[in-house]
Each structure stands twice: as C-alpha cells, then as structure tokens.
Amino acid sequence: MTIGRLPDNAMIIDNPAVSGHHARVLLEGQQVILEDLRSTNGTFVNGRPITRHVLQHGDEVLVGKHSIVFDQNAVEPQPVAGAPLESLGDTVYLDTKQHRALRATLESARADAAKSVNARPATPVATAPRRVGVLRVIAGRSEQDQYDLGAHTSLIGRSDTALVRLRGWFKPSVAVAIARSGNSYVATPLGGKTLINDERLEGRRILQDGDMLNVSGLILEFCWKDDVQAESAA
Amino acid sequence: MSRAEEGLFVVCDGMGGAPAGEVASELAIQAIARRLTGDESGEGSTSSPFLPHTTRLLDAVRQSNEFIYGQAQKDPRQAGMGTTVVSAWIREQIAGVAHVGDSRAYLWHNERLEPLTRDHSLMEAHIEAGLADEGKKLPVEQQNLLVRVLGREPAVEVDVTEVPVQSGDYVLLCSDGLTRMVSEEELAKAIQTFQEPQQICDHLIATANHNGGADNITVVVVEVTGRWWHQLIKGVGSHLRRTLPTPLTRAGCRNLRCSMKVSSSRTTLLDQA
C-alpha cells in the first residue's frame, strides 16, 4: 500500500508537502513495515526520520504535514491528526482524503483480521452473476412471449411503466410488482385479482421456479432464465 | 419537504448547526423540487434498472449535489457546506427511495418495521467491513462521522431502492435527530399505537425530546391508504420549521396521508399549517 499525493496511491494525501509516491506500507510475515520512497520531505515516525521502520501499535507517522497513527488492532481508525476533522456542529463529514484513508485502514484491518486466528471472517463479496428470472406467457393476450425480469422492480398492469402491459379499461393500473431482492424475486399484489398456483396472492411472496401467476386472466410462468435457455436448446 | 399530492417527500438535514448547513439543506430541497417539477419526457437514462420516477428522483438528487457544490465553490461563506438527504417518491404504489448520509427511511409493512436505507456513516462502514457489531458503539467523537453527504464533492454516489407499498403500510423519513434518540422498537410501537400520521409524528418528537434530543429533528410519516374509490382524505397536518420557507404540504394525494413534523432545539414550532 502506497501513500502519496498522486491518485494512484492507496492512501492519497493531496498536499504539496507530500511527494507523488511518498512512502509505502508492506506486510512481511507478521510485521508491518513502513518505507520511505525517497520522498522530498521525508517520512517520520514518532518525530524521527526513517527510511525503513517496523511499525508498532500507536506509532505516529508523519507524511508532509499529515500524521497517521498506526493502529495494530485497527478496529477504530484514528483521525488524521494533521488534518483535523472539520467540525460542523454535530455531524461531521469525512472528506475524500480522510475517506480514502479510512478505506485503507478498513481494508488493512480486514486483511489483518483474516490472518489472525480469532478473526471474524470478512464479509464475503458476491461475485457470482445474479440469476435472472423470466415470465413466460402461457395464456392470454400480451405483447411478448416472454419477459426478462432484469429491472429492480418489474410491474404488471395497465400502466405505461409496466413491463407486462395489460390491455383493457378495467385492468388495474398496477396489478403486481415483482421486485428483485438479492437472488430472489418477490411478488407483491397491488391491484385487481392475482392468483398464484390457483391461490389468491395476498401478501409478498418469493417466487419459485415454475410458479404460475394468473394476473387478471393473463397466465404467466415464473422461471429462471438459464433453465429457459436450456429448455429451448433441448 | 413534502408534496403529498405528488407522493414526493424529502428530508434534508444540514450539517450541524452551521448556517451554511441550513443553506445546504434548503438548496437541496429546492434543487430536487425544481428538478421534479414539470416536463417528464426525455429525462432519465433508459438503461436504469429502476422505474422512471425513481430514476428521475435519483437524477434530481445527483443534480442537487452538483448545485450545492457549485454554490459552495462560489461563496466562501458557504464553502464546505453539506447536507444529508432522504427522499421517497411514491407513484403507482411503488416507493422509490434515494438517500445520502444518515437521514433514514423505513417501511412499516405487515406489522414490521423495515429499514429502507443504510447510513453512510463511519459506524455503518465498520459494520459492513465486519469490524464492528450493530450493538457496539464507536468512541463518541467518531459516532457522528459521515462518509457521504450532498454538496461536499463534485459528484456523489446516491443509494437507491424501490419497494412496493400497500394499503396499511407507512413510510417514515427522518433525520438522525430522531434515530439517535428513539429506537427502532419505539418507532414501530408508535406506528402501531397511533396509526394516524400526525399523532405518530407528534409522539416521536415528544419521545425524542424526552430522551434528551438536542439536535434538530424532522419526521415525515406517510400512511398508504386504500385506493381512491374507497379512501378517506383527512387533513394533512404539519409542523414546519421557520427555516423552511415554503410549506409544500398539501392535502389531496389520492392514496396517501402524510404528516410532517420538524422540531428544533433552537427554533420554536410554528402553528399547525
């Protein structure tokens, strides 16, 4: 992790006293090493200039006019002392620099936590692409044979904004809303009469593969997109 | 701000007690209201995963950020001003919610209170990073740190969500002045007990003050009632703070009843509008 003035640093300190790439922090075994990158104004730890230093808990690192406190436990990042958090009364806003510094602290804390035995696991980041659901028209009048539920909220109704448009004066403006929630879809009835698998849809309901919706006479089957493709390929 | 007839509700909380904070929150409200008035066509990106009205709201919030940031650059007295925002636009029974900062939105649905927003605060950042538990408190001086607000950067990331609302649901928007002093259990209980939006607002503000509320408090409670053919429009009560010049609350939305209440430690409440 590098510290410096330029935007490609992990911790950016936008101040003329700070070199483009001023210092870096690296992990060697259990040790956290701070190295000065031949900066113009030098890097100081607890007031002494350093070129390479093993950081100890509570060390105060001075880069330009900004001091950074090394917190081994890193549960509570220390505010950058050289740039005191601007107090605007009660609530205080972290500016970009402070925010990035915070990010760096949080990330290194996470990395540390992953190493230590007692660490709680870092929050897993969902990387798998989300499955997309589709509504297949089984019976009734509609503009398409199949509708992809790609949006956050997909509506079925007479409204202009509906994905599945219902025709006819007496159809509800919005009959059902289908909202994406993580990897599932939740159907909420909002008007008219909607049946799901021949039962009245009353409250919110998570859609299952193969569920049959009857929305004011239009019959739709909910299924996952990959299944649909597999079926049509077969 | 609330424009109940359009289903639009916005709460902005200027940063701290600084005069610039008041300016920022007012600018935000004006900018959002202006953006959402008038022509609907040709707005919003077509690739948005959200419904058109939510996309418009998102654009309006983003532009209000640019606007405040621009004003802050021009006027040194207002340099560094910022504000939180939480906004809900309810159309066709879908509430689009956009927020930045630590003002919150909740949905009361099926006898349960569901948070619709997550604070952009240091505390939340810690929880998300797996470094702190919900119950654990940061040191006092770090509790009020926000990692995102309107007006402090040229561009801001706005969190957006959409949720369907049904008859009997309530949408509650509030500033941190409320949520610091009143627990979610108490919020839930107030809705359950009082049911009438104005009474809920009054009760929540009273509770916050009773618990030692020192900050400005803004609460907007919107009740989703039946559809137009069997609904009963009641008067919309509101308390507006002096610093909000335009009482935008009006009765007449087809299926929403709402109340807004603002309390401030420094300013007295005006009479009911």
Side-chain angles (χ1 to χ4, degrees):
Chain A
M1 180 194 115
T2 58
I3 304 171
R5 200 188 60 249
L6 297 175
D8 59 344
N9 290 286
M11 186 189 274
I12 301 164
I13 305 178
D14 187 13
N15 185 288
V18 178
S19 298
H21 300 103
H22 197 109
R24 65 174 174 167
V25 179
L26 31 135
L27 214 59
E28 283 185 11
Q30 292 297 308
Q31 294 185 323
V32 185
I33 314 284
L34 173 71
E35 273 182 6
D36 180 66
L37 297 172
R38 297 169 185 236
S39 63
T40 313
N41 293 306
T43 302
F44 296 78
V45 173
N46 304 327
R48 275 186 228 110
I50 58 107
T51 48
R52 187 183 160 87
H53 174 85
V54 179
L55 285 170
Q56 305 295 328
H57 179 67
D59 272 353
E60 194 181 345
V61 179
L62 190 73
V63 173
K65 288 186 283 184
H66 295 254
S67 86
I68 303 152
V69 175
F70 176 67
D71 184 346
Q72 183 85 68
N73 307 317
V75 175
E76 291 139 10
Q78 302 297 314
V80 182
L85 295 168
E86 193 178 341
S87 173
L88 293 164
D90 278 336
T91 309
V92 178
Y93 170 63
L94 288 170
D95 68 22
T96 314
K97 281 181 290 199
Q98 291 159 338
H99 193 183
R100 288 198 182 118
L102 160 70
R103 272 238 170 91
T105 321
L106 290 176
E107 270 159 26
S108 69
R110 231 185 293 196
D112 284 356
K115 286 196 182 67
S116 94
V117 187
N118 306 330
R120 54 190 352 276
T123 323
V125 181
T127 46
R130 294 198 299 179
R131 284 206 293 177
V132 174
V134 297
L135 291 174
R136 276 203 297 186
V137 178
I138 305 296
R141 218 148 57 95
S142 66
E143 290 165 344
Q144 298 174 30
D145 300 337
Q146 182 179 315
Y147 296 89
D148 283 8
L149 300 170
H152 186 279
T153 312
S154 305
L155 305 179
I156 305 173
R158 198 164 41 81
S159 162
D160 293 345
T161 54
L163 173 73
V164 183
R165 294 284 293 278
L166 298 177
R167 301 278 174 202
W169 260 105
F170 297 101
K171 299 289 164 80
S173 168
V174 178
V176 182
I178 299 178
R180 208 170 173 156
S181 163
N183 249 331
S184 55
Y185 288 89
V186 178
T188 309
L190 294 173
K193 192 178 166 190
T194 297
L195 303 176
I196 182 160
N197 306 330
D198 296 327
E199 280 167 35
R200 181 85 188 239
L201 179 65
E202 299 280 3
R204 290 183 194 169
R205 176 139 165 185
I206 294 177
L207 292 176
Q208 308 289 340
D209 196 38
D211 274 349
M212 285 291 181
L213 287 167
N214 178 341
V215 187
S216 300
L218 181 66
I219 318 272
L220 302 156
E221 182 189 10
F222 172 81
C223 38
W224 296 104
K225 195 166 185 182
D226 39 343
D227 300 345
V228 173
Q229 281 162 348
E231 267 175 53
S232 51
Chain B
M1 175 197 80
S2 83
R3 288 208 308 226
E5 73 281 7
E6 294 167 41
L8 175 64
F9 307 92
V10 186
V11 168
C12 290
D13 187 15
M15 303 285 292
E22 300 273 352
V23 174
S25 58
E26 203 154 301
L27 288 177
I29 282 175
Q30 283 171 11
I32 293 168
R34 199 167 47 234
R35 189 68 195 171
L36 296 180
T37 305
D39 188 21
E40 293 192 19
S41 58
E43 282 188 66
S45 47
T46 45
S47 61
S48 164
F50 297 98
L51 291 168
H53 75 278
T54 311
T55 307
R56 281 186 77 199
L57 181 64
L58 168 64
D59 287 345
V61 172
R62 279 194 189 133
Q63 290 191 353
S64 74
N65 177 72
E66 285 168 29
F67 181 63
I68 301 164
Y69 183 78
Q71 293 294 315
Q73 300 299 304
K74 276 187 222 156
D75 187 345
R77 283 168 305 161
Q78 294 169 354
M81 65 179 165
T83 180
T84 72
V85 61
V86 59
S87 53
W89 197 358
I90 306 172
R91 270 198 161 183
E92 290 182 318
Q93 297 187 69
I94 306 294
V97 176
H99 92 110
V100 177
D102 64 355
S103 294
R104 296 184 184 174
Y106 290 94
L107 174 70
W108 173 260
H109 172 81
N110 209 4
E111 304 291 302
R112 253 172 44 95
L113 194 68
E114 303 168 7
L116 298 177
T117 54
R118 295 207 80 161
D119 293 352
H120 301 136
S121 65
L122 187 60
M123 185 68 208
E124 273 296 325
H126 274 245
I127 292 169
E128 275 166 26
L131 292 173
D133 297 316
E134 304 264 349
K136 206 181 129 194
K137 288 240 161 124
L138 286 172
V140 178
E141 71 277 8
Q142 291 186 12
Q143 280 176 20
N144 297 342
L145 294 183
L146 295 186
V147 295
R148 269 192 246 168
V149 292
L150 281 190
R152 292 290 296 262
E153 311 276 340
V156 70
E157 198 184 330
V158 181
D159 281 5
V160 187
T161 190
E162 269 171 353
V163 66
V165 292
Q166 295 173 292
S167 178
D169 289 357
Y170 291 78
V171 175
L172 185 147
L173 307 183
C174 61
S175 63
D176 68 326
L178 182 74
T179 45
R180 277 175 205 282
M181 290 299 150
V182 180
S183 67
E184 290 183 359
E185 290 74 41
E186 284 174 295
L187 294 184
K189 199 155 171 268
I191 296 173
Q192 205 166 25
T193 313
F194 295 99
Q195 298 190 355
E196 202 280 314
Q198 186 68 51
Q199 282 185 22
I200 297 168
C201 285
D202 292 348
H203 176 77
L204 289 176
I205 298 257
T207 310
N209 286 330
H210 179 259
N211 293 351
D215 201 0
N216 294 343
I217 305 167
T218 306
V219 191
V220 174
V221 175
V222 182
E223 179 188 1
V224 183
T225 61
R227 281 176 294 278
W228 60 273
W229 59 88
H230 56 83
Q231 73 127 9
L232 192 70
I233 297 178
K234 287 205 177 165
V236 175
S238 69
H239 280 283
L240 294 170
R241 190 166 45 159
R242 184 164 47 81
T243 50
L244 289 173
T246 33
L248 285 158
T249 309
R250 286 213 306 267
C253 184
R254 296 196 313 182
N255 56 354
L256 301 171
R257 282 204 291 166
C258 71
S259 276
M260 173 169 182
K261 182 153 182 153
V262 182
S263 159
S264 159
S265 49
R266 289 166 293 116
T267 350
T268 43
L269 295 176
L270 294 182
D271 286 338
Q272 193 153 334

